[in-house]
Amino acid sequence: MQDDGRIDASASVFYSISKLTSGLTYKYLGDREYYGGHDVPSRSRLTWNTSYDLTKNDNITLTMNNLLDKDNYSNRYGNLDLPYNWKITYTRTF
């Protein structure tokens, strides 16, 4: 739901070479609905994702969320998205 906005835009750029894939994604949600006497603020989020294939079956991924460290409201009740954060993921396929 993300408390609907009339403006919903995203843009992504990806790069891949050999075993490495990287992408940068920007998401904007603006002119959000009016609730309880106030507008829900716009949401702006920048995410970077890089993945490396260690072997045919092994992959490691680094994801960095909210690179701009903005206070984004996830809904009309005032709940905030997480601040800048990152995670490393290891995947093994069989």
Side-chain angles (χ1 to χ4, degrees), residues 3-64:
D3 288 324
D4 302 326
R6 287 194 279 182
I7 301 170
D8 188 347
S10 62
S12 298
V13 177
F14 293 96
Y15 178 77
S16 184
I17 185 169
S18 186
K19 297 180 175 189
L20 181 72
T21 302
S22 192
L24 190 64
T25 303
Y26 178 75
K27 171 81 172 166
Y28 177 79
L29 189 61
D31 196 12
R32 294 171 81 181
E33 61 184 43
Y34 187 77
Y35 179 76
H38 66 279
D39 288 325
V40 179
S42 297
R43 185 177 190 196
S44 178
R45 185 174 184 92
L46 184 64
T47 302
W48 177 42
N49 190 54
T50 297
S51 180
Y52 183 75
D53 295 327
L54 300 167
T55 66
K56 184 178 102 172
N57 298 326
D58 299 294
N59 176 281
I60 191 162
T61 302
L62 170 65
T63 303
M64 294 196 220

Side-chain angles (χ1 to χ4, degrees), residues 59-79:
N59 176 281
I60 191 162
T61 302
L62 170 65
T63 303
M64 294 196 220
N65 295 303
N66 198 4
L67 284 170
L68 302 175
D69 201 21
K70 296 186 69 85
D71 288 333
N72 287 314
Y73 288 85
S74 60
N75 58 35
R76 62 182 162 219
Y77 304 110
N79 298 328

